[in-house]
Every structure is written in structure tokens, then in C-alpha cells.
Amino acid sequence: MSSWASGYVADIGYTHGFYRELTPALLGFISLARGRRSPLQAGPLTYCELGCGQGFSTNLLAAANPDIEFFATDFNPSHIAGAQAFAATAGTRNVHFFDQSFAEFVDEPSLPDCDIISLHGIYSWVTAEHRADIVRFIRRRLRPGGLVYISYNTQPGWSAAAPMRHLMSLHARTQAGPTVGRLDAVLGFTDRVLATNPGFLRANPAVRDRFDRIKAQNRAYLAHEYLNDAWTLFYHAEVAAELGEAKLDFIGSAALLEHIDAINLSPEQLRVLAEISEPTLRETVRDFMVNQQFRRDVFARGSVGLFAQEAREIWLEQRVALSTPRQDVQLTVTGSAGQATLQPETYLPVLDALAEGPRTLRQLLEDATIARLGWPRLQQAVLVLVGGGHLQPARDEAGEAARSERTTPFNEAVLQRARFADQLQFLASPVTGGGIMVDRIAQLFLLGTRSGQADPPGFAWDILSQQGQRLVQDGKSLESSEENLAALRFRFGMFTERQLPVLKQLGIA
């Protein structure tokens, strides 16, 4: 463990993920959904990510939002070197990376005060000293009216599995060598302990299934989640109190479906919550009711409410875009209370209209069928579909051409990376200002099409076969070239029919 790492795993890089909750347009939408004003309504913005990891999210967001200046830091210089190199390849000029600690970064002379500060997967995984540095950073660098997105592990949802995580971390400290090797030893050891049917497992039988899922997860993610020296579980009230030192107030969850009480809480639970007027207590009690284990929270420094008519006007100008192929959208939604069926008469007209392309809510209301739904039902439908990931809040159409000039080279850099590795899973949309998941196979189809290949499936197979890779179908690896090509041609047909039209509407293809 390097001395500068402060107990954080540093010898294995973090995943190259994109985290939707960091998207400026989504954070603005969350504020709107809670009836609050957001800095996105004010003009040019400065965005800062603390603990940016590989920097892929920051790079993508910078490319998709060239009118926003992005700053990001991560303690790991390997992460930052890679992020800077990718920004240079993509020609993204509005992003600035640093390998400074939080305590150092607060005094960085080139860093302006910020409108949005985000930290995903950081707060539970650093020491109390570093958390204090984060709070000081926010207090000094966040402008009044600014937003903070923060995620963290939560009680009581972790209460059953926390002892297992402690066992894994403790065993890792007895092992020497690189983290990956220690992780394999930890997983094997924990498996053997659980196989003895200990009393802990008998009292917490769900831990067995959880551990089996853990074994199948990405090794880099597991190392950072389970082997860090620092690992703290919080109640919401504790995080709210710490961030209160930076003058922050809780706005709401970035997981929008958590705003929908009907799919998360029983009538009895709603009655109990209705009796609680203190916001922090109410939110903490709610966590007990849903057994929350991970929170994605949005806070504001000086939260300003919107007048009802003012909020409606902003809602009417809110643009949304379909990000799931229309035929793949299921009229069900799942919350803590179980699965609920969405009303076809409400959701189908909205989905059908958006299948034609991005629309503002005002434009949606020009459809007579949608207008008959009434404003509350339309508003709720959009909120649920955004929460379910089928719709994305979109930026104004006026700046789309300028954004496309930056997302095009960024996406080209991602597609070129797909020639060599299955590492980057998202492309940037100039429509939403965020990322859209596109797997490696689909990326190779896009790359082949863009480069004028007559046979994109054959192009993809040439790349995969040269790297000794095979497709898996029904749990079995396809061995012959004929089988792999047939599977790729089938996937290309599905891609062309379903995913490609959506990517075109999102300005990606």
C-alpha cells in the first residue's frame, strides 16, 4: 500500500464507469422535481468532481457540455494520467484534471468557485480526516445556490452484510502481495467460512446469496469496495449533520423512483412518516422502512423554492428524450414495496410521442391524447420514466450543434478504444448532456459503419477473433467462426432495428 494512499486501494485502478447521477441536466431536473431552483437556470457553470477515479465520467460530461467548465481531482496519479490522455485524444478542452488531495485541492489557484460539486463512491471509503477536508472544500468552494451530489453506504441496509465485509477486509490484511491476488484469497477464505454454516449465516441467511453475487462482480470494483482500510456506514442524519457544517440543506434523492411513495411505502408507513415534521428524522425513518443500503443524495447551499406557476413554466420548457428503444420499455416499475404496473392509457401516449424524438413537455401537451391526461398525470409519468432510466432530461435544442462538435470526437475516441478492450461502456449525447450505455459489440458495429465497412458484423468478428474472444450464447462459448458470425449478424439486426434509431435521436449515431 503506497504511503500517499492513506489506506485506500491504489495498486489496482478503479473501473471506467459512467454514473448518470453526476449529469448536470439530471441534477437540475431533480431540483425541479423537488420544487427548488438550480444553478442550471442561471447561466455558465463550473463543475467539480472530487475523487473522479479514472475520470471517464468527467471526460464524458465535459464533452457533452462544452459550455460548462469541469475540474476534477483524484489522489491516484495513474488515474489522472489516463484521464488527461483521453481528454487530449478526444480534444476536450473544458476539463482540467489534478492528482491532489482534497486538502490540497481547496487551495488550487486555477480552481474557481463551483456551481456543482459531485463525489460518487467517496464518502464512505475515506477516513474521517479526509471527510473533514471534503466538508471544508465544499464550504469554501461551493457558491450560494450550488448543488452537491454525494453517494454513500447506509444503515440499516448494510447491517446484515457488514460483518462479512469486515471479515473480508480483516483477512486481506493478513495477506501479502498485489491486491488482485489478495482478493482471490479473501473470496476463497470467506467462501470456506460460510460453507461451515456459522451461526451468523443462520441468523442472516440472505448473506449467502449476497456473497455469491459478490464473487461474480468486477474485481476492480470489489477491491475498492471491500478491501479499503477506511469504510464507514452512515445514517442519513449523520451525513446531513456533517454537510450542515458546509451550510448544505438536503434536497432529495438522485434516485428519482425513491420519490414515488406508492412503490416504496405501505399506507401504514406513509401515515407514520406524515406525523414527522423534522426532515432529517423523517428521511432516516424512511431508510428504516425501505432498509436502505446506498444513498444518492442531492444537497444545496441555500435552497430557494419555486413559486407554483414558476415551477410549471420551467416544467413546460423541460425537454426529455427517450433513451430506451420504445419496444423495450416495460410498463412496470419496481420499488422497495415491490413491482407496480404503469397505466397504459397514461404511459403509452407519452412513449409513442417521444419515440418520434426529444420533446419539451409543452410540445407533448400539443398532442390531444396527452393533453387529456391532465398536467399532474403527465408530470408524474415523466418523473417515473426518467427515474426508471427510460427517459433522460435533455438540454435545450439551441446549443445542440455546438455540443455535437465536441461529442463526435469524444465518441470516436471511445469507439477506437473498443478495438482493443471492453473497457468503456458509454457514449456521450449532445442531446442529454450525459452518457448512454452502448456495449462493446454495438460500439464495434458503429465503428464499422462509420468507417464504411460493407459488413459491420464481419468487421467486429475480425477484431474479436484476433484477440481470441468468443461470443457466449445460452451460457456457452461459441467456438466456430460460423457460429460467432451468425450470432453477430443476429445482434446487428437487432441493433439496427432497435438501438440505432435511439442513438440517432440522441445525436450519437
Side-chain angles (χ1 to χ4, degrees):
M1 186 78 67
S2 302
S3 60
W4 47 263
S6 299
Y8 196 86
V9 171
D11 66 335
I12 178 172
Y14 197 59
T15 58
H16 290 73
F18 172 77
Y19 306 101
R20 176 186 182 230
E21 295 84 2
L22 277 61
T23 307
L26 181 61
L27 292 172
F29 182 81
I30 291 162
S31 295
L32 176 60
R34 304 300 289 177
R36 318 306 293 177
R37 193 177 305 280
S38 86
L40 277 79
Q41 297 153 12
L45 302 178
T46 299
Y47 186 114
C48 178
E49 184 176 2
L50 300 178
C52 65
Q54 301 283 1
F56 183 68
S57 288
T58 317
N59 263 321
L60 186 153
L61 292 173
N65 300 275
D67 56 328
I68 300 176
E69 207 70 18
F70 286 81
F71 294 80
T73 191
D74 193 273
F75 78 106
N76 191 326
S78 296
H79 288 168
I80 296 305
Q84 290 173 332
F86 197 86
T89 299
T92 308
R93 296 181 292 273
N94 59 316
V95 64
H96 315 276
F97 289 103
F98 302 82
D99 68 337
Q100 298 178 10
S101 69
F102 306 135
E104 294 169 331
F105 199 40
V106 72
D107 293 318
E108 168 55 43
S110 67
L111 176 67
D113 288 344
C114 303
D115 301 286
I116 299 173
I117 295 175
S118 66
L119 49 156
H120 179 79
I122 300 298
Y123 212 66
S124 281
W125 296 267
V126 296
T127 64
E129 176 187 357
H130 293 319
R131 292 199 305 273
D133 291 336
I134 289 170
V135 173
R136 279 193 292 271
F137 182 94
I138 294 171
R139 184 180 176 99
R140 282 186 52 187
R141 288 297 192 172
L142 185 67
R143 292 185 178 121
L147 299 177
V148 170
Y149 166 74
I150 181 171
S151 62
Y152 52 96
N153 282 338
T154 312
Q155 291 282 39
W158 262 96
S159 57
M164 180 187 69
R165 192 271 177 194
H166 176 72
L167 181 69
M168 294 170 67
S169 178
L170 194 63
H171 183 268
R173 295 174 199 171
T174 70
Q175 305 297 303
T179 298
V180 172
R182 291 191 296 133
L183 181 60
D184 289 338
V186 165
L187 293 173
F189 172 77
T190 308
D191 212 357
R192 291 196 302 276
V193 171
L194 294 180
T196 68
N197 195 29
F200 164 73
L201 186 59
R202 294 196 298 274
N204 301 276
V207 169
R208 176 76 256 183
D209 288 341
R210 183 176 184 134
F211 181 72
D212 288 341
R213 292 194 301 271
I214 285 171
K215 290 189 293 184
Q217 289 179 305
N218 178 281
R219 287 296 194 263
Y221 163 76
L222 290 179
H224 288 263
E225 175 67 65
Y226 288 93
L227 303 190
N228 270 351
D229 287 350
W231 190 76
T232 306
L233 302 174
F234 293 99
Y235 293 99
H236 168 75
E238 295 172 326
V239 173
E242 291 187 6
L243 295 184
E245 295 298 314
K247 302 183 179 181
L248 299 189
D249 296 314
F250 177 64
I251 296 296
S253 173
L256 282 165
L257 290 183
E258 293 180 3
H259 295 199
I260 312 298
D261 287 340
I263 62 172
N264 291 293
L265 301 164
S266 69
E268 294 81 4
Q269 291 169 339
L270 285 170
R271 282 194 288 272
V272 170
L273 288 175
E275 298 170 2
I276 304 173
S277 59
E278 203 284 314
T280 302
L281 175 60
R282 186 181 191 279
E283 199 67 21
T284 303
V285 171
R286 197 178 194 280
D287 283 348
F288 272 76
M289 291 176 170
V290 302
N291 199 33
Q292 192 75 270
Q293 71 172 26
F294 187 69
R295 288 190 64 100
R296 303 169 178 87
D297 286 350
V298 180
F299 287 80
R301 182 173 187 173
S303 175
V304 179
L306 295 166
F307 296 109
Q309 187 58 37
E310 181 184 21
R312 182 185 171 98
E313 287 298 317
I314 297 172
W315 267 101
L316 286 169
E317 297 308 317
Q318 176 65 57
R319 192 170 176 235
V320 290
L322 192 66
S323 55
T324 300
R326 168 67 186 84
Q327 56 268 55
D328 292 343
V329 179
Q330 301 296 314
L331 293 185
T332 58
V333 64
T334 302
S336 298
Q339 189 177 84
T341 300
L342 304 177
Q343 297 174 328
E345 62 271 22
T346 298
Y347 286 84
L348 291 181
V350 175
L351 289 167
D352 289 341
L354 290 169
E356 301 298 319
R359 299 283 190 275
T360 65
L361 269 68
R362 189 185 301 277
Q363 290 170 330
L364 288 174
L365 285 169
E366 293 172 0
D367 183 306
T369 303
I370 294 176
R372 283 194 294 271
L373 296 176
W375 176 249
R377 291 173 73 187
L378 173 60
Q379 191 179 37
Q380 178 87 339
V382 169
L383 184 65
V384 169
L385 290 170
V386 172
H390 302 306
L391 299 186
Q392 306 298 326
R395 298 203 58 192
D396 291 342
E397 188 174 4
E400 204 166 290
R403 294 192 295 272
S404 184
E405 289 179 4
R406 302 311 327 144
T407 57
T408 297
F410 174 89
N411 289 337
E412 181 64 23
V414 174
L415 296 181
Q416 291 297 336
R417 182 73 63 90
R419 296 169 64 97
F420 310 109
D422 185 12
Q423 187 182 64
L424 308 178
Q425 298 286 323
F426 290 82
L427 297 175
S429 168
V431 174
T432 69
I436 302 297
M437 179 175 280
V438 182
D439 67 25
R440 187 190 186 193
I441 300 298
Q443 288 183 30
L444 291 175
F445 291 157
L446 282 174
L447 184 61
T449 302
R450 285 188 178 189
S451 60
Q453 299 291 327
D455 181 19
F459 170 78
W461 174 238
D462 286 343
I463 291 173
L464 296 173
S465 62
Q466 289 172 17
Q467 297 169 14
Q469 298 184 8
R470 301 290 185 270
L471 273 69
V472 175
Q473 190 168 290
D474 299 327
K476 296 180 180 179
S477 177
L478 302 179
E479 295 303 326
S480 71
S481 294
E482 292 76 15
E483 289 175 313
N484 279 276
L485 271 171
L488 284 168
R489 295 194 195 288
F490 176 79
R491 286 194 60 173
F492 183 67
M494 296 294 291
F495 168 77
T496 302
E497 177 187 345
R498 297 191 174 199
Q499 191 174 16
L500 186 59
V502 174
L503 295 179
K504 287 181 177 179
Q505 289 183 352
L506 294 173
I508 292 173

